[in-house]
Amino acid sequence: MQDLTQKACSVGRVTVDKQYHMREADADFLDFFGNDVIYSILRTMHPDDADLFCATTESLRIGERDRCILRARNADGVYVRLLVTIQASSDKDGSLCYRLTFRDVFRMDALLLHHEHENRVYRHLLTMMRDVCFAYRMGSRQLIIYQFDCFRDIILLRSTLSEWQQQLKNEHLVDRGDLGVLSALCKDIENGTYRFQHELDASFLSGGVRMEHISVQGITLWDSPEDGSVIGTISVIHPKSKAKDINLTLETNRDSLTELLNKQAIVSYAKSQIAAKPKGLLSVVLVDVDDFKDLTDRYGHMFGDEVLYTISHIIKAEIGRRGMAGRIGGSIFQIVLEDIRDETDLRGILRAIRTKIEWAFVERKKSLKVTCSIGAACYPIDADNYDALFMQADKALYIASAKGKNRYVIYDVNKHGEALPNRERSVADLYANVPKPTQSKAGFVADTARSLLREEAPDLFSLMQNIGEQFGVDGIHIFAAPEQKAVYSWGHPVNGNAAVLLEEPFARGFGEDSVCVVDNINALENVADDAYRWFAAENMLGAVLYRMMCSGKPMGVIAFGLFGRFRKWSTLDVNHLTVLGGILAALMEKYYFSQESEGFLRQND
């Protein structure tokens, strides 16, 4: 059966800079386009449509939005016609960026026809029901009470909320003993309480003819943290049962806010599944909303309720029929994932939950950022009982939060150490059981500095070799004026000169510390094309570069390079290589540029 849901139409969302390089994207986007679009999204667009896309984006000012239809190549190499919604925005550093949402045009057309049919069915069903509906718009403060009649709405009342409340009091349409309930009801509507239910005796549905016991249920839908609407139903119920046909067994197992299982139910479910000793992998997953207290302090508890409700629906959508989820307290959710194929399968689900939550509120307010941290442990790999799996998932969650939040961690005893009960957590948990090198990188840098202070004529080649082996780089090259050729090298060879690295626009990438970090040369495409071509020709796909200065003038570049591969350089490695680059630059200034090279390592043979 064809999946006719809004999720099926969505190709994904991405934020790009003004050169159309990807800054962040959700899991759907990456799954649809594959790795070809990781850096420049123009790579995947049909050549005849790229100009239209660029013209549309460049015409927008910050805060403006537009749309266009174009053809883009998916991960299978097939061009698909997509509707792209483009919003111009600014990043944290004030630079221009574009937030893009992609939807499949043909799936949208099928979805529209599907919704038209469903709309007819639902309106006929609602017509047969006796419930009355209401809608309140916070911006206009207008309240509408209405009934469905197939293809039209019968408006029973259109008024402001305060006028309606006063009318009920003045005309005695609410039992005097329930006036407090009426006030609480109107307060919940006016304040936008996320979910509420009130019962009272009133006669306004019958026009004052007879008192009836009614139940008013409502839910608030937010368009932004400041504006939204409240919708709900008004039902006549039996005063003794005070309920319609409710499955009490189901309701007692549910969290009333998120509609997920409550703590008791999800724990019981997890224990029963583990006790059944499933043949495949099963994972206990904990999801915690990052900085949830700060979020509610800033935007209010009602918005916090909406965040929890939205996240619960994201979780349900992503796990599908592969498990169950519950809310176990505050902003923490527990998931039991079943029939996991392998770690890659688990990572895909966790990544989808994390990115969907990160993107759920991105268009609501520039300063609003909702993220989550996730910890997971697997049966039977990590443990064979619920209590142990929960402790392991909890430890992984702690590590994910302590390492910067907005990430997931899958428990590994070899990396994270044992998860022990009743033990105070510490920073040591982040590094438990991590193999220690024979010499730390910081110690290596310190020893290098000390040894150079003692030696008058350093063995530069040996120094470069030691640096390369310690930091896992493939080649180190010192390019020097006047020709900017590699005058000293270790490891993977290079052929050309590096003059382009000291020219604009690439030279703007060097910071005040004289360092430029290239995680992947694809990020240079359309930004510094000459430098991109130089790196590609040398097959140097990643590098930490140190610019040598002499008398205030750039005299060359020291390249700590990766050849045929790239990686995300860690902050510590960059800091250490910055110090080592400074040491090499000082040696070059003393022994090479000053022509005092006697005793210094010979130039490349």
Side-chain angles (χ1 to χ4, degrees):
M1 182 180 292
Q2 187 177 8
D3 184 9
L4 292 176
T5 65
Q6 188 65 38
K7 179 183 176 182
C9 296
S10 174
V11 171
R13 293 189 284 188
V14 62
T15 298
V16 299
D17 59 21
K18 61 182 180 181
Q19 283 83 29
Y20 308 114
H21 287 181
M22 187 185 81
R23 290 196 174 182
E24 56 184 3
D26 65 11
D28 287 344
F29 180 86
L30 297 175
D31 289 343
F32 183 86
F33 286 105
N35 294 330
D36 194 41
V37 77
I38 285 179
Y39 294 97
S40 174
I41 65 169
L42 296 180
R43 289 184 178 184
T44 193
M45 293 183 184
H46 194 284
D48 295 341
D49 296 340
D51 289 343
L52 169 64
F53 171 76
C54 293
T56 304
T57 57
E58 292 167 6
S59 67
L60 298 176
R61 292 179 294 181
I62 291 179
E64 293 181 337
R65 181 182 299 188
D66 202 350
R67 294 183 294 180
C68 66
I69 294 178
L70 52 79
R71 289 161 291 177
R73 188 176 59 251
N74 63 18
D76 297 325
V78 178
Y79 279 104
V80 180
R81 197 170 295 275
L82 303 175
L83 173 66
V84 187
T85 301
I86 310 163
Q87 181 175 7
S89 185
S90 59
D91 214 337
K92 293 178 181 178
D93 58 4
S95 59
L96 178 66
C97 65
Y98 300 103
R99 303 188 188 280
L100 313 176
T101 303
F102 292 81
R103 295 182 176 87
D104 188 307
V105 170
F106 292 107
R107 288 182 181 177
M108 287 183 66
D109 182 61
L111 178 64
L112 178 61
L113 294 175
H114 176 72
H115 281 343
E116 286 180 350
H117 171 73
E118 281 194 331
N119 187 48
R120 290 195 300 270
V121 172
Y122 290 148
R123 292 192 70 92
H124 278 87
L125 288 173
L126 290 167
T127 298
M128 292 185 286
M129 296 180 181
R130 298 177 60 187
D131 290 355
V132 174
C133 301
F134 71 90
Y136 174 76
R137 190 71 196 181
M138 294 181 179
S140 64
R141 300 182 182 276
Q142 286 289 314
L143 175 69
I144 300 175
I145 300 178
Y146 61 98
Q147 282 183 309
F148 285 97
D149 183 20
C150 291
F151 298 104
R152 66 190 180 99
D153 298 335
I154 302 175
I155 306 299
L156 304 178
L157 178 131
R158 189 191 302 271
S159 170
T160 66
L161 180 63
S162 59
E163 289 173 347
W164 179 66
Q165 181 180 5
Q166 194 60 45
Q167 177 190 2
L168 297 183
K169 290 181 179 180
N170 293 342
E171 299 180 12
H172 307 292
L173 299 177
V174 172
D175 186 274
R176 181 175 298 180
D178 287 335
L179 290 178
V181 178
L182 175 63
S183 297
L185 167 64
C186 292
K187 186 176 180 179
D188 280 344
I189 295 175
E190 184 176 18
N191 292 339
T193 299
Y194 187 65
R195 295 175 71 89
F196 58 86
Q197 179 178 2
H198 296 278
E199 296 179 8
L200 68 163
D201 291 328
S203 61
F204 62 86
L205 290 180
S206 63
V209 174
R210 62 184 179 277
M211 279 286 178
E212 299 166 308
H213 192 79
I214 63 174
S215 172
V216 183
Q217 299 183 71
I219 186 171
T220 301
L221 306 177
W222 292 94
D223 299 321
S224 71
E226 295 83 13
D227 190 26
S229 58
V230 183
I231 59 173
T233 60
I234 305 173
S235 309
V236 177
I237 61 178
H238 194 280
K240 290 185 178 179
S241 66
K242 294 190 177 182
K244 295 186 173 181
D245 296 329
I246 296 177
N247 186 331
L248 293 177
T249 303
L250 179 64
E251 291 299 313
T252 56
N253 288 332
R254 294 284 172 183
D255 175 64
S256 60
L257 173 61
T258 63
E259 299 177 354
L260 299 177
L261 294 177
N262 58 27
K263 181 177 181 179
Q264 179 180 354
I266 188 63
V267 170
S268 176
Y269 179 82
K271 290 182 176 180
S272 65
Q273 294 302 109
I274 295 169
K277 299 187 181 303
K279 295 181 180 179
L281 293 179
L282 176 148
S283 181
V284 173
V285 181
L286 297 179
V287 181
D288 189 15
V289 184
D290 295 329
D291 303 313
F292 185 69
K293 184 179 184 302
D294 294 340
L295 193 71
T296 55
D297 288 346
R298 184 170 186 180
Y299 297 107
H301 288 279
M302 287 179 291
F303 181 68
D305 287 350
E306 187 193 357
V307 168
L308 297 177
Y309 185 78
T310 302
I311 289 176
S312 71
H313 277 254
I314 290 173
I315 291 173
K316 283 194 291 187
E318 293 307 320
I319 66 176
R321 298 180 179 180
R322 300 183 63 180
M324 296 292 287
R327 180 181 173 215
I328 61 174
S331 60
I332 302 180
F333 300 85
Q334 179 173 313
I335 306 169
V336 180
L337 280 174
E338 304 162 46
D339 299 323
I340 302 169
R341 293 187 296 274
D342 49 31
E343 184 175 311
T344 301
D345 185 30
L346 175 60
R347 287 183 180 276
I349 298 172
L350 301 185
R351 181 175 63 249
I353 293 173
R354 185 194 66 78
T355 55
K356 291 290 179 64
I357 291 173
E358 184 178 15
W359 280 89
F361 298 90
V362 72
E363 296 179 357
R364 295 277 288 270
K365 194 176 182 67
K366 182 179 177 181
S367 60
L368 177 61
K369 188 173 181 64
V370 178
T371 60
C372 72
S373 297
I374 304 175
C378 293
Y379 167 95
I381 296 174
D382 300 314
D384 60 0
N385 65 88
Y386 171 77
D387 290 340
L389 286 169
F390 182 88
M391 285 191 296
Q392 292 162 348
D394 189 39
K395 183 169 186 175
L397 173 62
Y398 169 76
I399 293 171
S401 180
K403 283 193 170 183
K405 305 174 184 177
N406 192 23
R407 66 191 66 207
Y408 63 85
V409 171
I410 299 174
Y411 177 77
D412 183 337
V413 67
N414 294 320
K415 293 180 180 179
H416 309 131
E418 291 188 38
L420 303 174
N422 305 319
R423 187 183 65 82
E424 184 177 354
R425 291 165 171 166
S426 69
V427 175
D429 286 331
L430 306 183
Y431 311 102
N433 288 6
V434 176
K436 303 297 188 296
T438 55
Q439 183 183 31
S440 70
K441 292 176 179 178
F444 170 80
V445 173
D447 285 351
T448 300
R450 282 193 295 267
S451 65
L452 290 176
L453 288 174
R454 292 193 299 264
E455 295 182 17
E456 295 181 0
D459 181 355
L460 186 60
F461 185 85
S462 296
L463 173 58
M464 294 166 66
Q465 180 180 9
N466 291 337
I467 293 173
E469 292 174 352
Q470 181 74 22
F471 289 88
V473 298
D474 303 319
I476 301 175
H477 304 280
I478 302 178
F479 302 91
E483 297 180 349
Q484 295 301 335
K485 290 185 177 181
V487 295
Y488 298 106
S489 291
W490 167 84
H492 195 288
V494 292
N495 298 313
N497 70 69
V500 68
L501 303 182
L502 297 175
E503 298 171 356
E504 299 293 344
F506 183 81
R508 289 198 294 267
F510 287 97
E512 294 181 358
D513 56 2
S514 294
V515 171
C516 176
V517 179
V518 180
D519 291 320
N520 189 315
I521 65 168
N522 287 310
L524 301 176
E525 192 176 12
N526 299 325
V527 177
D529 287 325
D530 289 341
Y532 170 76
R533 285 188 286 270
W534 182 87
F535 279 108
E538 298 290 354
N539 199 28
M540 189 187 298
L541 304 187
V544 174
L545 306 175
Y546 188 93
R547 182 173 57 186
M548 296 185 292
M549 304 293 291
C550 187
S551 301
K553 297 180 181 180
M555 297 299 290
V557 174
I558 302 170
F560 304 94
L562 302 175
F563 291 83
R565 64 190 181 101
F566 54 84
R567 75 178 185 219
K568 176 71 175 174
W569 294 94
S570 70
T571 302
L572 283 176
D573 278 359
V574 172
N575 290 341
H576 291 142
L577 291 175
T578 299
V579 175
L580 293 169
I583 291 174
L584 293 175
L587 293 172
M588 288 292 293
E589 183 175 2
K590 179 177 180 180
Y591 292 106
Y592 185 84
F593 296 123
S594 66
Q595 303 301 316
E596 298 177 8
S597 56
E598 183 177 355
F600 199 45
L601 178 70
R602 64 187 183 279
Q603 296 187 22
N604 288 339
D605 295 329

